[in-house]
Amino acid sequence: MSPQNGQMYVLRSATGVVADIDHSNTAPGTKIQGWSPNGSKAQQWVFWAKDNGSWLLETGLTHGTHGPGQAMVLDYDFTNWRAHLVEEHGQDNQLWQLEDAGDGYVRIKSRRTEGGDAYLTADGGGRFLGVWKADSGSDAQRWRLESVSFSGQGQQPQPQPGQQPQPQPQPGGGGGGSAVEEMLSLVNQERAKAGLPGLVLDGRLSAAAQRHSDDMARNNFLGHDGRDGSTPWKRINDAGIANVPMAENAATGSDVRGTMDMWMRSEGHRNNILGRDFRRFGAAFSPGSGGRWTQTFAG
Protein backbone atom coordinates (compact mmCIF):
# COMPACT_ATOMS: atom_id res chain seq x y z
CA MET A 1 0.00 0.00 0.00
CA SER A 2 1.02 3.62 -0.38
CA PRO A 3 0.67 5.62 2.84
CA GLN A 4 -0.77 9.12 2.98
CA ASN A 5 1.48 12.00 3.96
CA GLY A 6 0.88 12.96 7.59
CA GLN A 7 -1.29 9.91 8.30
CA MET A 8 -0.68 7.80 11.41
CA TYR A 9 -0.28 4.02 11.17
CA VAL A 10 0.43 1.02 13.34
CA LEU A 11 3.24 -1.12 11.86
CA ARG A 12 2.13 -4.71 12.34
CA SER A 13 4.53 -7.50 11.42
CA ALA A 14 3.20 -10.67 9.81
CA THR A 15 4.56 -12.37 12.95
CA GLY A 16 1.88 -10.52 14.97
CA VAL A 17 3.99 -8.01 16.90
CA VAL A 18 3.94 -4.26 16.23
CA ALA A 19 6.69 -1.61 16.25
CA ASP A 20 6.68 -0.18 19.79
CA ILE A 21 8.71 2.43 21.71
CA ASP A 22 10.23 0.83 24.80
CA HIS A 23 8.44 2.19 27.93
CA SER A 24 7.02 5.09 25.84
CA ASN A 25 10.37 6.84 26.30
CA THR A 26 11.22 9.50 23.71
CA ALA A 27 14.87 9.94 24.68
CA PRO A 28 17.42 9.51 21.85
CA GLY A 29 18.59 5.93 21.56
CA THR A 30 15.42 4.39 23.03
CA LYS A 31 14.88 0.84 21.80
CA ILE A 32 12.23 0.26 19.14
CA GLN A 33 10.95 -3.21 19.85
CA GLY A 34 8.41 -5.76 18.78
CA TRP A 35 5.47 -5.85 21.17
CA SER A 36 1.89 -7.06 21.45
CA PRO A 37 -0.63 -4.51 20.11
CA ASN A 38 -2.13 -2.32 22.85
CA GLY A 39 -3.44 0.78 21.03
CA SER A 40 -1.00 3.19 22.70
CA LYS A 41 0.73 6.14 21.00
CA ALA A 42 4.00 4.27 21.52
CA GLN A 43 2.78 1.95 18.75
CA GLN A 44 1.72 4.66 16.30
CA TRP A 45 3.86 6.17 13.54
CA VAL A 46 3.24 9.24 11.40
CA PHE A 47 4.47 8.90 7.81
CA TRP A 48 6.03 12.06 6.34
CA ALA A 49 6.78 12.04 2.61
CA LYS A 50 10.37 12.91 1.69
CA ASP A 51 12.43 13.01 -1.52
CA ASN A 52 12.67 10.10 -3.98
CA GLY A 53 9.66 8.28 -2.60
CA SER A 54 11.13 7.84 0.88
CA TRP A 55 9.38 8.30 4.22
CA LEU A 56 10.30 9.66 7.64
CA LEU A 57 8.49 7.77 10.42
CA GLU A 58 7.76 9.92 13.48
CA THR A 59 6.60 8.31 16.71
CA GLY A 60 3.06 9.24 17.72
CA LEU A 61 4.50 10.17 21.11
CA THR A 62 5.96 13.41 19.70
CA HIS A 63 3.42 14.10 16.96
CA GLY A 64 2.09 17.64 17.26
CA THR A 65 4.33 18.49 20.22
CA HIS A 66 7.69 19.18 18.56
CA GLY A 67 8.75 21.75 16.00
CA PRO A 68 10.42 21.05 12.63
CA GLY A 69 13.65 19.09 13.03
CA GLN A 70 12.78 18.15 16.62
CA ALA A 71 10.52 15.13 16.11
CA MET A 72 11.73 11.72 17.28
CA VAL A 73 11.81 9.25 14.42
CA LEU A 74 12.56 5.64 13.51
CA ASP A 75 16.32 5.37 12.92
CA TYR A 76 18.83 2.56 13.03
CA ASP A 77 22.30 2.31 14.48
CA PHE A 78 24.33 1.08 11.53
CA THR A 79 27.09 -0.16 13.88
CA ASN A 80 24.82 -2.88 15.24
CA TRP A 81 21.87 -2.85 12.79
CA ARG A 82 19.28 -2.21 15.48
CA ALA A 83 16.35 0.21 15.29
CA HIS A 84 16.10 3.00 17.81
CA LEU A 85 14.56 6.45 18.30
CA VAL A 86 16.60 9.52 17.32
CA GLU A 87 15.86 13.20 16.79
CA GLU A 88 15.12 14.01 13.16
CA HIS A 89 18.27 14.79 11.14
CA GLY A 90 17.28 13.71 7.62
CA GLN A 91 20.16 11.34 6.94
CA ASP A 92 19.57 8.13 5.04
CA ASN A 93 19.48 5.86 8.10
CA GLN A 94 16.17 7.41 9.12
CA LEU A 95 14.60 7.45 5.68
CA TRP A 96 12.62 4.41 4.55
CA GLN A 97 11.23 3.07 1.29
CA LEU A 98 8.31 0.68 0.93
CA GLU A 99 8.33 -2.38 -1.32
CA ASP A 100 5.26 -4.47 -2.08
CA ALA A 101 5.41 -7.81 -0.27
CA GLY A 102 2.03 -9.13 -1.45
CA ASP A 103 -1.30 -9.71 0.32
CA GLY A 104 -1.41 -6.14 1.59
CA TYR A 105 2.04 -6.30 3.20
CA VAL A 106 5.12 -4.19 2.50
CA ARG A 107 8.82 -4.46 3.22
CA ILE A 108 10.37 -1.39 4.84
CA LYS A 109 13.84 -0.78 3.41
CA SER A 110 16.40 1.70 4.73
CA ARG A 111 17.78 4.35 2.38
CA ARG A 112 21.21 3.70 3.88
CA THR A 113 22.80 1.13 1.58
CA GLU A 114 26.59 1.10 2.09
CA GLY A 115 26.29 -2.21 3.96
CA GLY A 116 23.82 -3.55 1.40
CA ASP A 117 20.06 -3.33 1.28
CA ALA A 118 18.60 -3.64 4.79
CA TYR A 119 15.01 -4.16 5.90
CA LEU A 120 13.14 -3.52 9.14
CA THR A 121 12.77 -6.90 10.84
CA ALA A 122 10.67 -8.01 13.83
CA ASP A 123 13.12 -10.15 15.81
CA GLY A 124 10.51 -11.06 18.44
CA GLY A 125 8.40 -9.70 21.28
CA GLY A 126 10.39 -7.45 23.62
CA ARG A 127 13.46 -7.51 21.35
CA PHE A 128 15.00 -4.74 19.29
CA LEU A 129 13.69 -4.43 15.76
CA GLY A 130 16.60 -5.34 13.51
CA VAL A 131 17.54 -3.85 10.16
CA TRP A 132 18.77 -6.92 8.34
CA LYS A 133 19.51 -8.13 4.81
CA ALA A 134 16.54 -9.18 2.72
CA ASP A 135 14.93 -12.52 3.51
CA SER A 136 12.01 -12.90 1.12
CA GLY A 137 10.71 -15.96 2.98
CA SER A 138 10.59 -14.31 6.39
CA ASP A 139 7.33 -13.01 7.86
CA ALA A 140 9.48 -10.90 10.18
CA GLN A 141 10.21 -8.55 7.25
CA ARG A 142 6.60 -8.23 6.08
CA TRP A 143 4.62 -5.36 7.56
CA ARG A 144 1.04 -4.20 7.32
CA LEU A 145 0.28 -0.48 7.69
CA GLU A 146 -2.93 -0.16 9.71
CA SER A 147 -4.50 3.31 9.69
CA VAL A 148 -5.10 4.81 13.11
CA SER A 149 -8.44 6.43 13.86
CA PHE A 150 -9.58 8.10 17.03
CA SER A 151 -12.56 7.62 19.32
CA GLY A 152 -13.79 9.86 22.09
CA GLN A 153 -16.59 9.34 24.55
CA GLY A 154 -17.84 11.12 27.61
CA GLN A 155 -20.57 13.08 29.30
CA GLN A 156 -21.19 16.64 28.18
CA PRO A 157 -20.10 18.98 31.01
CA GLN A 158 -22.77 21.05 32.69
CA PRO A 159 -22.93 24.73 31.68
CA GLN A 160 -20.89 26.97 33.93
CA PRO A 161 -22.65 29.65 35.98
CA GLY A 162 -23.54 32.58 33.76
CA GLN A 163 -23.10 30.56 30.56
CA GLN A 164 -26.02 30.97 28.16
CA PRO A 165 -27.58 27.74 26.93
CA GLN A 166 -27.44 27.11 23.22
CA PRO A 167 -30.65 27.31 21.15
CA GLN A 168 -32.36 23.99 20.51
CA PRO A 169 -33.25 23.62 16.80
CA GLN A 170 -35.49 20.74 15.80
CA PRO A 171 -33.76 17.53 14.73
CA GLY A 172 -33.28 17.24 11.01
CA GLY A 173 -32.38 14.57 8.52
CA GLY A 174 -29.89 14.70 5.70
CA GLY A 175 -26.72 16.32 6.95
CA GLY A 176 -24.57 15.17 4.05
CA GLY A 177 -26.61 13.13 1.61
CA SER A 178 -26.39 9.51 0.55
CA ALA A 179 -22.98 8.73 2.04
CA VAL A 180 -24.22 9.81 5.48
CA GLU A 181 -27.39 7.80 5.02
CA GLU A 182 -25.30 4.77 4.03
CA MET A 183 -23.18 5.25 7.14
CA LEU A 184 -26.31 5.41 9.31
CA SER A 185 -27.62 2.24 7.66
CA LEU A 186 -24.37 0.41 8.45
CA VAL A 187 -24.44 1.65 12.04
CA ASN A 188 -28.01 0.45 12.51
CA GLN A 189 -27.21 -2.91 10.94
CA GLU A 190 -24.51 -3.44 13.56
CA ARG A 191 -26.84 -2.31 16.34
CA ALA A 192 -29.53 -4.71 15.12
CA LYS A 193 -27.04 -7.59 15.25
CA ALA A 194 -26.40 -6.68 18.90
CA GLY A 195 -30.11 -6.50 19.68
CA LEU A 196 -30.07 -2.71 20.04
CA PRO A 197 -32.53 -0.15 18.67
CA GLY A 198 -31.50 1.87 15.65
CA LEU A 199 -30.31 5.48 15.83
CA VAL A 200 -32.10 8.44 14.25
CA LEU A 201 -30.22 10.91 12.05
CA ASP A 202 -30.04 14.35 13.66
CA GLY A 203 -28.99 17.32 11.53
CA ARG A 204 -27.42 19.07 14.51
CA LEU A 205 -25.09 16.15 15.13
CA SER A 206 -24.23 16.03 11.43
CA ALA A 207 -23.43 19.75 11.53
CA ALA A 208 -21.03 19.17 14.44
CA ALA A 209 -19.48 16.27 12.53
CA GLN A 210 -19.10 18.37 9.37
CA ARG A 211 -17.36 21.13 11.30
CA HIS A 212 -14.78 18.66 12.54
CA SER A 213 -14.32 16.74 9.28
CA ASP A 214 -13.73 20.02 7.45
CA ASP A 215 -11.22 21.12 10.11
CA MET A 216 -9.28 17.84 9.92
CA ALA A 217 -9.25 17.82 6.11
CA ARG A 218 -8.28 21.48 5.81
CA ASN A 219 -5.46 21.21 8.34
CA ASN A 220 -4.37 17.63 7.49
CA PHE A 221 -4.66 16.01 10.91
CA LEU A 222 -6.64 13.30 12.65
CA GLY A 223 -7.80 13.69 16.24
CA HIS A 224 -10.54 15.03 18.47
CA ASP A 225 -9.26 18.43 19.54
CA GLY A 226 -10.00 20.88 16.72
CA ARG A 227 -7.49 23.40 15.45
CA ASP A 228 -9.94 26.03 16.73
CA GLY A 229 -9.52 24.66 20.24
CA SER A 230 -12.86 22.84 20.24
CA THR A 231 -13.57 19.43 21.75
CA PRO A 232 -16.22 16.94 20.60
CA TRP A 233 -18.46 18.00 23.47
CA LYS A 234 -18.14 21.69 22.64
CA ARG A 235 -18.87 21.13 18.95
CA ILE A 236 -22.01 19.15 19.76
CA ASN A 237 -23.01 21.69 22.38
CA ASP A 238 -22.47 24.54 19.89
CA ALA A 239 -24.75 22.70 17.46
CA GLY A 240 -27.54 22.80 20.02
CA ILE A 241 -27.36 19.56 22.02
CA ALA A 242 -26.31 19.56 25.68
CA ASN A 243 -26.50 17.65 28.96
CA VAL A 244 -26.83 14.16 27.44
CA PRO A 245 -24.34 11.32 26.88
CA MET A 246 -22.39 11.89 23.69
CA ALA A 247 -19.42 10.53 21.75
CA GLU A 248 -17.41 11.00 18.58
CA ASN A 249 -15.52 8.74 16.18
CA ALA A 250 -13.02 10.13 13.66
CA ALA A 251 -11.11 8.44 10.85
CA THR A 252 -9.21 9.07 7.66
CA GLY A 253 -10.30 7.62 4.33
CA SER A 254 -13.15 7.99 1.86
CA ASP A 255 -14.86 4.61 1.58
CA VAL A 256 -17.97 4.37 3.75
CA ARG A 257 -17.93 0.62 4.32
CA GLY A 258 -14.15 0.43 4.72
CA THR A 259 -14.22 3.18 7.34
CA MET A 260 -17.09 1.51 9.17
CA ASP A 261 -15.31 -1.86 9.11
CA MET A 262 -12.20 -0.23 10.57
CA TRP A 263 -14.22 1.32 13.40
CA MET A 264 -15.91 -2.00 14.17
CA ARG A 265 -12.50 -3.66 14.55
CA SER A 266 -11.54 -1.11 17.20
CA GLU A 267 -12.97 -1.61 20.69
CA GLY A 268 -13.39 2.09 21.51
CA HIS A 269 -15.10 2.95 18.24
CA ARG A 270 -17.28 -0.16 18.35
CA ASN A 271 -18.39 0.72 21.87
CA ASN A 272 -19.54 4.11 20.62
CA ILE A 273 -21.42 2.60 17.68
CA LEU A 274 -23.13 0.09 19.98
CA GLY A 275 -23.64 2.54 22.84
CA ARG A 276 -26.84 1.80 24.76
CA ASP A 277 -27.13 5.41 25.92
CA PHE A 278 -27.37 6.82 22.39
CA ARG A 279 -30.48 7.35 20.29
CA ARG A 280 -29.36 10.06 17.83
CA PHE A 281 -26.61 10.02 15.21
CA GLY A 282 -24.78 12.36 12.88
CA ALA A 283 -21.97 11.89 10.36
CA ALA A 284 -20.01 13.89 7.83
CA PHE A 285 -17.25 13.47 5.27
CA SER A 286 -14.75 16.03 3.95
CA PRO A 287 -12.61 15.07 0.93
CA GLY A 288 -9.37 16.99 1.61
CA SER A 289 -6.11 15.39 2.82
CA GLY A 290 -7.24 11.95 1.68
CA GLY A 291 -10.66 12.28 3.29
CA ARG A 292 -11.87 12.66 6.86
CA TRP A 293 -14.94 10.99 8.40
CA THR A 294 -16.60 11.96 11.68
CA GLN A 295 -19.43 10.20 13.49
CA THR A 296 -21.29 11.87 16.36
CA PHE A 297 -23.64 10.25 18.89
CA ALA A 298 -26.01 11.62 21.52
CA GLY A 299 -28.65 10.37 23.92
Side-chain angles (χ1 to χ4, degrees), residues 17-94:
V17 300
V18 301
D20 176 281
I21 305 297
D22 187 25
H23 290 88
S24 298
N25 186 353
T26 59
T30 298
K31 175 172 69 173
I32 299 174
Q33 61 189 357
W35 203 256
S36 298
N38 59 27
S40 72
K41 285 190 175 181
Q43 298 183 351
Q44 299 171 2
W45 299 89
V46 185
F47 275 61
W48 298 111
K50 297 297 180 180
D51 295 337
N52 301 318
S54 64
W55 299 88
L56 188 76
L57 277 58
E58 178 191 4
T59 172
L61 294 168
T62 65
H63 180 50
T65 66
H66 289 56
Q70 298 177 329
M72 303 302 294
V73 301
L74 174 63
D75 187 296
Y76 82 91
D77 183 344
F78 50 89
T79 65
N80 62 18
W81 301 86
R82 300 289 188 179
H84 59 186
L85 203 64
V86 171
E87 190 173 85
E88 177 186 352
H89 55 61
Q91 296 178 13
D92 281 349
N93 49 301
Q94 56 182 216

